[in-house]
Amino acid sequence: MSDSALGRCRTSSGAVTGFVLRIARESIPATQVGFAQLLGVDLATVQGWESGRRPMANMKVSALLGLRRHLPALGADKAVVALIDAAMDADRIIGIALAQDRENRMHPLAEWVHNRDTAHMIGWAVNGTTPPSLADRPAPQRRGAVAKAPLLPQQERSAFFEHLRSAAESADRTSEQGVLLHRQALYLSSYDRTQGATLRTAQALHIRRDAPGGRGWNSHWTEARSTAVGLARLGDPEPLLRFIDRSMADDDVAETANLNYWAYWLGVWDHPQPNDGFMTDRRSTSFEPVALLRRLVDNLHPAPGYVELYVHSLWALLMAYRWLPLAAPDLAARLRGQAGLLLDGNQLSPRARREISSVQYVLRDNCE
């Protein structure tokens, strides 16, 4: 696709943020006219924000901060307002990928470690999948045909994924920033489900699937984890099962890295990180164990491969903090029910069955 053609096909650069703002407005609830009056701006400004034609990222920093802080006071859902940051991150990543002039810029995927909310916002824009954090919200009554997702036009989606694959291939993996760019771009490529794209991404991931080359923690551990999870997303759970067994189990540093990564990915550890170095931080104050347990229990994924990673992570967390069932009896009760269902099924590996049985023992020992 030529730069001029891409320039003509682009419709907005703030669509994801605008969509989140619209959901925040509707949670008040307020019409666009009423919202504009509440904020003291004209209707065209609100319409420009929500459509993405007037990106909120172009606002003055003080005005943007003021708006975000004012929304809860107007009655907007705080959980939705909290997603504005992730939406702006997603818009920035998409915008850079579609930009005609990328020279002399550090790629945003090389600047910081993105978390699940950002990934889900990108997935929302490229395949229309509603983020789980917004999936259960009641749909308000709207007049006329209204888009259900900030879905990019097909031409932009193709250009975005092509850019991700190119960025992953050209990343300098001798630097921290290059390694981060490579693994994050390659992981996000797994969101492309168009004909032929899944095979291309799977082939690229398979090339890197054995990057660690040894047991336990090493400098390639994070890349290997993202690669294995990406392949599981594409329907191949075996690399993730091998990764758990070879590169995580029975290695204290790797187990710490996995729990720290989960805490960051799920939003328990909410301080932005410039690289993957935070994962080996073994300080007990790195994350709040009860909060991580809650996120893991809430998001326990039944898909092959994923369920093994969740089971192992829950086991490692409860082995490290055996007092957790006493601190969160509601979570312990839910987890006991989930553990029983998993053991009744036949999708778990022998390792996972041992680990979920150990989880049940810890729960019984601390709850009865």
Side-chain angles (χ1 to χ4, degrees):
M1 180 188 302
S2 68
D3 284 345
S4 59
L6 180 57
R8 287 195 298 272
C9 84
R10 293 192 62 202
T11 59
S12 68
S13 57
V16 182
T17 309
F19 218 89
V20 173
L21 181 66
R22 189 187 84 181
I23 294 174
R25 169 179 62 77
E26 291 173 340
S27 73
I28 292 175
T31 64
Q32 286 186 329
V33 172
F35 193 50
Q37 293 173 343
L38 289 170
L39 297 177
V41 300
D42 57 47
L43 176 60
T45 296
V46 170
Q47 292 174 332
W49 286 340
E50 293 190 5
S51 68
R53 292 191 302 271
R54 181 179 290 186
M56 291 176 63
N58 292 347
M59 296 172 65
K60 291 182 179 180
V61 174
S62 58
L64 178 60
L65 288 173
L67 172 61
R68 289 175 58 230
R69 290 168 178 166
H70 191 42
L71 286 171
L74 296 176
D77 189 317
K78 293 179 181 178
V80 176
V81 175
L83 293 173
I84 288 178
D85 285 353
M88 293 182 70
D89 284 339
D91 277 329
R92 181 162 178 254
I93 293 167
I94 293 168
I96 290 293
L98 301 180
Q100 296 182 33
D101 176 18
R102 306 189 190 101
E103 287 78 9
N104 301 318
R105 299 183 189 179
M106 180 181 287
H107 197 289
L109 290 176
E111 289 179 344
W112 85 101
V113 183
H114 70 251
N115 62 17
R116 184 184 64 161
D117 283 340
T118 300
H120 283 171
M121 289 292 163
I122 292 173
W124 202 17
V126 297
N127 59 33
T129 302
T130 304
S133 53
L134 296 173
D136 295 330
R137 299 187 59 81
Q141 294 294 324
R142 303 185 180 109
R143 294 182 179 179
V146 179
K148 296 181 179 180
L151 189 64
L152 297 174
Q154 181 58 55
Q155 197 173 12
E156 290 188 12
R157 280 179 273 165
S158 298
F160 174 70
F161 285 119
E162 188 60 38
H163 168 77
L164 287 181
R165 286 186 282 266
S166 176
E169 291 171 1
S170 61
D172 175 15
R173 293 200 291 275
T174 63
S175 67
E176 285 185 342
Q177 290 78 16
V179 169
L180 188 61
L181 170 58
H182 177 266
R183 78 167 182 83
Q184 296 196 137
L186 196 54
Y187 174 78
L188 288 174
S189 296
S190 68
Y191 282 74
D192 189 355
R193 298 303 178 89
T194 57
Q195 187 175 7
T198 299
L199 179 60
R200 290 176 61 191
T201 303
Q203 289 173 336
L205 287 166
H206 269 292
I207 291 172
R208 304 299 302 166
R209 71 185 186 277
D210 293 321
R215 300 191 67 86
W217 171 264
N218 62 62
S219 59
H220 298 286
W221 186 92
T222 310
E223 178 187 0
R225 187 185 188 280
S226 291
T227 298
V229 172
L231 285 167
R233 280 182 55 80
L234 296 177
D236 182 5
E238 289 303 317
L240 185 52
L241 300 181
R242 291 199 302 271
F243 175 79
I244 295 168
D245 187 60
R246 183 181 68 179
S247 301
M248 186 157 37
D250 304 319
D251 184 280
D252 289 344
V253 178
E255 297 285 16
T256 296
N258 179 57
L259 292 180
N260 281 343
Y261 197 0
W262 270 125
Y264 185 83
W265 180 254
L266 296 175
V268 176
W269 191 347
D270 60 0
H271 303 297
Q273 298 296 324
N275 54 54
D276 294 331
F278 75 96
M279 295 181 195
T280 55
D281 186 344
R282 304 187 69 177
R283 294 175 297 175
S284 60
T285 56
S286 298
F287 62 82
E288 211 287 303
V290 173
L292 179 55
L293 178 64
R294 186 173 300 280
R295 298 294 173 87
L296 289 172
V297 171
D298 285 346
N299 294 280
L300 184 58
H301 204 301
Y306 279 96
V307 68
E308 302 274 337
L309 182 58
Y310 273 92
V311 165
H312 182 79
S313 302
L314 284 164
W315 170 82
L317 184 63
L318 285 167
M319 293 302 106
Y321 304 96
R322 288 179 173 267
W323 48 264
L324 276 174
L326 295 173
D330 61 322
L331 291 176
R334 286 175 55 198
L335 185 53
R336 288 183 69 176
Q338 291 173 326
L341 291 174
L342 288 173
L343 287 171
D344 288 341
N346 57 7
Q347 75 267 41
L348 294 181
S349 68
R351 171 185 288 279
R353 295 189 73 84
R354 292 195 302 272
E355 289 172 345
I356 202 66
S357 295
S358 296
V359 166
Q360 283 191 318
Y361 175 80
V362 172
L363 294 174
R364 286 195 301 265
D365 192 48
N366 288 278
C367 293
E368 295 179 351

